[in-house]
Amino acid sequence: MAVIGAYKATKYTLFVCCYIFWVASGVLFAVGIYAKIAKEKDVVDTLTTDPALLLLTVGSLMFIITFLGCFGALRDAAILLKMFLGVLLVILLLQIAAAVLGFIFSDMVLERTDLLMKKAIVLYREDMDLENVIDFVQKKFLCCGVDHYSDWSQNAYFNCTENNPSLEACGVPFSCCVRQRNETVFNSMCGYNTQRMEEVSVRERIYTNGCLKKIVLWGKHNLLLVGGMSISLLCLEICMVALAAVQLGQIQRDQQKKMKSGIPRQR
């Protein structure tokens, strides 16, 4: 009886964990579809700079993987559990390898991140989702651009050249602006022509520090939070791997007992 009770506890614990992630992945996938349909045609369509496509990809992968674990645990399906266990082990090993390589080649990671963020600046205004993400980051970290606020000159709308017909030429987005304490109405045009001004005087209107340094600095100041979240996710994945392995082992032992006793296997 104790063995049966432990098996049921393992089975339903794995099922509940997979079910929660299955529902969450369905929500991510639905949000990604909605964001993709709501967009205009012929917009950004790359995984690294399209938040909607990223949500679709992550949501669909999570949905398939957790489906294997959810129904494999519920129906005692050895094949589904083997697939779930194999995929989860591969993901776990890839995460560990990525963390180790990222720590060893941290300078290279920063360079790639710098290029990716500058590519996102170039595509600003081309994708509403990407634009919202960039504005959120700049307002959250009180920064502007990647390394410097002048990075916005790489964008066609903010490019500081004489033949640029844009009204926002030589400016920066409103999310770079410094909010004044006594300000009742936010001036969304506060970033206009700031690239033409001296940096000493422009600091009163916009944030001049780049976002990459601010994000790295935030990560260093919140190592416990970032490390705790990473370790928690890692422990959760290890627990799910262990639960799937225990249930799969019990299923295989039951099948072997049935074969030895001459009871035909259920199809």
Side-chain angles (χ1 to χ4, degrees), residues 2 9 24 29 40 43 73 88 93 141 165 170 177 179 193 223 230 236 248 253:
F29 189 74
E40 299 177 359
V43 295
L88 211 57
L93 292 174
F141 293 97
C170 293
C177 295
R179 296 297 298 266
N193 294 317
L223 280 177
S230 302
L236 180 61
L248 182 60
R253 283 193 293 270

Side-chain angles (χ1 to χ4, degrees), residues 49-116:
T49 54
D50 191 343
L53 188 59
L54 184 62
L55 284 175
L56 280 172
T57 304
V58 173
S60 58
L61 288 175
M62 281 181 59
F63 190 88
I64 294 171
I65 294 169
T66 50
F67 171 84
L68 297 174
C70 194
F71 284 89
L74 186 64
R75 304 299 298 175
D76 293 329
I79 295 177
L80 294 180
L81 284 174
K82 285 180 180 178
M83 294 173 65
F84 173 73
L85 189 59
V87 172
L88 211 57
L89 280 173
V90 170
I91 292 174
L92 190 61
L93 292 174
L94 287 175
Q95 287 177 334
I96 295 173
V100 173
L101 291 174
F103 179 77
I104 296 174
F105 302 103
S106 57
D107 292 338
M108 185 182 296
V109 172
L110 286 176
E111 289 178 5
R112 296 295 298 177
T113 305
D114 186 276
L115 291 174
L116 182 63

Side-chain angles (χ1 to χ4, degrees), residues 5 7 13 25 42 46 57 65 75 77 82 102 104 110-111 121 124 129 136 165 176 184 196-197 203 206 230 239:
Y7 175 74
T13 301
S25 64
D42 301 325
T46 58
T57 304
I65 294 169
R75 304 299 298 175
K82 285 180 180 178
I104 296 174
L110 286 176
E111 289 178 5
I121 280 181
Y124 187 84
D129 294 329
F136 172 79
C176 290
T184 56
R196 290 191 177 125
M197 300 170 61
R203 287 176 181 172
I206 64 170
S230 302
C239 288

Side-chain angles (χ1 to χ4, degrees), residues 10-61:
T10 302
K11 172 180 177 177
Y12 289 111
T13 301
L14 178 61
F15 169 75
V16 170
C17 290
C18 291
Y19 182 76
I20 292 172
F21 281 100
W22 190 46
V23 173
S25 64
V27 173
L28 284 178
F29 189 74
V31 172
I33 290 177
Y34 172 78
K36 199 68 178 173
I37 293 175
K39 286 182 181 180
E40 299 177 359
K41 295 182 179 179
D42 301 325
V43 295
V44 183
D45 196 22
T46 58
L47 184 62
T48 53
T49 54
D50 191 343
L53 188 59
L54 184 62
L55 284 175
L56 280 172
T57 304
V58 173
S60 58
L61 288 175

